[in-house]
Amino acid sequence: MAEPALLFLAAERLTAYRWHGGHVSLEGAFTADESGRRAFAAYAAELSQRRRTAWMLADLVEEDFRFETVPHLIGPERSGLLARKLEQFYRSTPFRHAEVRERKRVGRRDDRVLFSALTNPGWIAPWIELLVHYEIPLRGLYSVPLLSRYIARLISSQDLLLITWERDAGVRQTYFKNGYVSFSRLSPLASALPSSDGLHSDGSPPSTGAAPFTATVIHEAARTVQYLQSLSLLPSERPMHVAIVCSRQDEQALAARLQDSPRVRYAYLDIGGLAARLGYRDPLPDSDATGLLLHTLVKSRPPNQYAAAHHTHYHALGEARRLARAAVLATGLGLLLWAGLDVWQAVTLSRRAEQLDAQRQSLERQHQAIRATFPPTPWSASEMRQAVRVARSLALSSPLPVEVLSGIGQALERFPGLRLTQLSWQITAHPDNVEKGPSPR
């Protein structure tokens, strides 16, 4: 199977990577202008020739989240209700998503649903249209906030602000309430998006250094905490945890500036240790979590989030073909096993028949040997067998007259005046045709 292409989409550029066995390798970077899209078209043509599947991960400022309570439905009724709600909330974009998060335990037990959308389709549509044009199977369009839940699950906290840095996009802050995304914002670094003439020869941007990252995290984390307090989202009975994914060097700089308070507790996730836990094998020299997130996307394999059905048409078609081939293969294997079972049964029965035939021949030889020990007789065995049958038949059909005569004698004893003058006895197999004797006088 061809290695998947991982496309990381930021506001100003799209960066392509290749995933292979826990490694993420850079393949190209394309700016969001006419020349960049022409270069991406050539790259897409190459993907089409190699029949590679594409995954797109977006990290954009224009991503909106909102929670709504809807009646609890199932099946087509639920799908129709969510589709109408998405059309109502995000009419201007096709990149929208709905997830049923939980069901209330009291009252009507309605569903709590997260509706989200990438509200500026102009950043996304040109890239996806090229993928559709070259018939590239797009598995799905995903976003960093929704994908970050797989990292947030590694942290035991009911109220968590997760901070990551993606070099092409900036500092992403996502607030999780009981494991669910409730709020997210993106803050670009001043030097995180260099101009196209500042790129390296391989298309990768230069390092931004630790100072812009730590300064941005310190400033934006404080703003986000204040914003959450203004919305009364922070818990009153326990502190909120702020987890920052960073390198050890950046951790030292941040720990020296960020102080815990009764309402906020800071924690630092070593990006190298986190990569080891998630099975990511590339070295991570700084706090850039782009490769780690792309690796998490492939390993977790979440369902499509934002791509419309016509965007993932070729991937769905490929999946249908693979399922059909798997069904044909399974059917063929089943028939082969059935035929093998029939052959095995036939061989077993054939061997059993040979064993029985050998036993028959052995018994015949024993019979002939026993017959050879008998003395010679003038009659054949068949004649003797017939004689025995006739004797048995006569014995069964010729009963002795003792029982009948004894009964007659007992009757005559009771009547002494009677005198028996004649008695006829006849043996026959047809009692209805017995000849009558002379009439008594």
Side-chain angles (χ1 to χ4, degrees), residues 23 159 169 218 239 254 297 331 348:
H23 298 277
D159 301 274
I218 293 170
L254 290 169
L297 174 63
T331 303
T348 303

Coordinates of all heavy atoms in Angstrom, one line a residue, residues 23 159 169 218 239 254 297 331 348:
H23 N 7.5 7.7 11.0 CA 8.3 8.8 10.6 C 7.5 9.7 9.7 O 6.7 9.3 8.9 CB 9.5 8.3 9.8 CG 10.4 7.5 10.7 ND1 11.4 8.0 11.5 CD2 10.5 6.1 10.7 CE1 12.0 7.0 12.1 NE2 11.5 5.8 11.6
D159 N -10.7 19.9 33.7 CA -10.6 21.3 33.1 C -9.2 21.5 32.7 O -8.3 21.7 33.5 CB -11.0 22.3 34.1 CG -12.5 22.1 34.6 OD1 -13.4 22.6 34.0 OD2 -12.6 21.4 35.7
A169 N 1.5 27.6 11.7 CA 0.3 28.3 12.1 C 0.5 29.2 13.3 O 0.1 30.4 13.3 CB -0.8 27.2 12.4
I218 N 3.4 32.8 27.1 CA 3.2 33.5 28.3 C 2.1 34.6 28.2 O 1.1 34.7 29.0 CB 4.5 34.2 28.8 CG1 5.5 33.1 29.2 CG2 4.2 35.1 30.0 CD1 6.9 33.6 29.5
P239 N -8.8 24.0 40.7 CA -8.0 24.8 39.7 C -8.0 24.2 38.3 O -8.3 23.0 38.1 CB -6.6 24.7 40.3 CG -6.5 23.4 41.0 CD -7.9 23.2 41.6
L254 N 9.8 28.8 30.3 CA 8.4 29.0 30.7 C 8.2 28.9 32.2 O 7.5 29.6 32.9 CB 7.5 28.0 30.0 CG 7.4 28.3 28.5 CD1 6.6 27.1 27.8 CD2 6.6 29.6 28.2
L297 N -2.6 11.8 13.9 CA -3.8 11.7 13.0 C -3.8 10.3 12.3 O -4.8 9.7 12.2 CB -3.7 12.8 11.9 CG -4.7 12.8 10.8 CD1 -6.1 12.9 11.3 CD2 -4.4 13.9 9.8
T331 N -14.9 -15.1 -0.1 CA -15.8 -16.1 -0.7 C -14.9 -17.2 -1.4 O -15.2 -18.4 -1.3 CB -16.7 -15.5 -1.8 OG1 -17.5 -14.5 -1.2 CG2 -17.6 -16.5 -2.4
T348 N -10.9 -39.9 3.0 CA -11.2 -40.7 4.2 C -12.1 -41.8 3.9 O -11.9 -43.0 4.3 CB -11.8 -39.8 5.3 OG1 -10.9 -38.7 5.5 CG2 -12.1 -40.6 6.5

